Amino acid sequence: VVNFKIKGLSAQVFPNPANNLVQISYYLPQNGDINLAIYDLSGKKLQLLQQEPKNTGNYVFLWQANSLPTGIYLVGLTQNGQQMYTKLIISK
């Protein structure tokens, strides 16, 4: 499990490395619009997972990563100007 926390915004990715199904758990310290996306290591957005308003609290997002080949990716979470990234390894 990889866990990063920045100013209350936090996320966990499990399992890591993952083969197909990835659980992204995150905590939002305040209300606001969020963006949850997958990026390659150069910063290119590969897939937008969620873009919507959310209230303060804990959330779980299940994602099928079968469209991505083996490699290292970043899961990015943005809310109210705060951004955080956590590394995700896909191993097929």
Side-chain angles (χ1 to χ4, degrees):
V1 174
V2 177
N3 183 17
F4 289 89
K5 188 171 185 176
I6 300 173
K7 296 181 184 177
L9 189 66
S10 65
Q12 294 181 324
V13 179
F14 180 82
N16 196 6
N19 181 354
N20 187 15
L21 185 62
V22 177
Q23 177 181 300
I24 303 168
S25 302
Y26 58 92
Y27 172 74
L28 304 175
Q30 54 192 330
N31 297 344
D33 294 339
I34 66 123
N35 285 299
L36 182 65
I38 305 297
Y39 299 85
D40 67 15
L41 291 180
S42 72
K44 179 183 174 188
K45 187 185 296 183
L46 302 176
Q47 188 173 358
L48 180 62
L49 304 179
Q50 288 185 312
Q51 184 177 30
E52 58 190 271
K54 295 266 189 190
N55 293 326
T56 300
N58 292 299
Y59 295 89
V60 175
F61 184 81
L62 296 176
W63 173 58
Q64 295 286 337
N66 55 354
S67 63
L68 293 180
T70 294
I72 300 173
Y73 300 91
L74 298 173
V75 177
L77 177 62
T78 304
Q79 183 192 40
N80 298 336
Q82 293 182 41
Q83 296 178 317
M84 62 159 302
Y85 299 91
T86 185
K87 183 169 63 172
L88 171 63
I89 299 168
I90 301 294
S91 178
K92 306 264 174 151

